[in-house]
Amino acid sequence: MSRIKQTNNKNIKKKKKKSIGFKILMGFLAILIASIAIGGGYLYGLFFKLDNVKLDTKDLGISSTEEFSKYNNYKDIKNIALFGVDAEDGGAGRSDSMMIVTIDPVHNKLKVTSLMRDSYVNIDGHGMDKLNHAYAFGGPQLAIKTINENFGLNVEDFATVNFSSLPVIIDILGGLDLEINDEELQYINSYIDSLNGLEGTSAPNITYSGSQHLNGIQALAYSRIRYTAGGDYERTQRHRIVLTALFEKLSSTSTTSYPSILNSLLPHVQTNLTAGNILSLGTNVLGVGNGALVQDRFPRDGFGEGTTIDGIYYLSYDKDATIKQVRDYIFDDK
C-alpha cells in the first residue's frame, strides 16, 4: 500500500511541476514577444549574447520522412526542445525539465508537450536509463536524439536554461519573498557559503526562520537544500516554490524592463538557434497568437507505470502507443 501511495505522490508531483513549468515557459514567451514589439533592432543585437552551439543534424535520431508524410503539412509545424538543467560545479547537469514547444500554424495553435523525466528509454551508447540522464551523458545533441528515437519526433532545435542562472534574473527583479522553516534553516547557510565561494559573491546568511526577502544566491541556495526529512521530493518542491515566485514577479514587471532582463538572461541560454531564427519564431508565435494555447504530457496516464529496477525508480511505458499519441497530438491535433 505504501508503494502505491508513493507512486501516486510522484504523479501528483509531476503534474504540479508540469503546470509550473508551463507558466514559466509562457512567462518567457511573453517577454520574448513583448520585447520584439518594443525592442526593434536593439533586441536583435541582444540575441548575439546567446551561447550558440551547433548540432550534428545527421545524428539527431529523426525517423524517415515516410513516417511523417501521412500528416498533412507536417513540415510547416515547428518543434523546439526546451531543457531546464541544474548543473552544479560546471557539470553538464541532468535535464530535470523537458518540454517540446510546437508552433502549429496549420491548426493555429501553440502546443507545449511535457516529457516525463523518469521515462525508461534507450539512450544511444548507454543502454536503458532515465530520459533526463541523456543530457548529462551527451548534452543537447544526445538529449534530442533520445527524444526523437523514443517518442518518434523530428526535433532539430533546442534551448537550454541552467537553473544556476536564476540568481541573475532574481536580482534584476529585486529578490523574492519566501518562507524558510526551521528545518531548512539548519542547512541553507552552508549552501549560501558554498555558492558565495563559487560565484565570488557575498550573500549574507539567514539568521531566523519565517518569511524572508531573499536575493538570487539565497534563493538558489534554498532550492538546493536536499537533506531535510522529505529528501528529493521536498527539494523539487522548493524548485517549484522558487519558480512560482519568479513567475509572479515577472508577471507584475513592466514590459519596458524586458530588454534589460533579456540582456542579463540571454548569456545564460544555450541554443542552436540564431538571432534571425529566434525573431522569425517570435513572429510565427504572434501569428498564432489568436489561436489556442494547449498542453499535454507523455507518457499519458494509463500507458505507463512506475517500476523499480536495481533499487531505482523508473517510468516504463508503451513505446509504440506513445509514439502514435505524440505524433497525432503534435502533427494532427488529436
Side-chain angles (χ1 to χ4, degrees), residues 263-303:
N263 186 51
S264 298
L265 171 65
L266 292 180
H268 301 278
V269 177
Q270 187 181 72
T271 183
N272 67 314
L273 295 167
T274 66
N277 293 153
I278 294 172
L279 290 177
S280 176
L281 288 171
T283 302
N284 291 337
V285 170
L286 287 172
V288 298
N290 294 325
L293 215 169
V294 296
Q295 61 174 323
D296 207 336
R297 170 178 54 81
F298 296 93
R300 284 175 172 161
D301 292 342
F303 291 88

Side-chain angles (χ1 to χ4, degrees), residues 215-241:
N215 66 23
I217 291 293
Q218 293 169 325
L220 181 59
Y222 165 79
S223 74
R224 284 187 170 167
I225 297 172
R226 68 177 71 193
Y227 298 113
T228 55
D232 192 55
Y233 173 77
E234 288 190 354
R235 186 189 190 211
T236 57
Q237 185 178 44
R238 281 185 283 272
H239 278 204
R240 294 194 299 270
I241 290 171

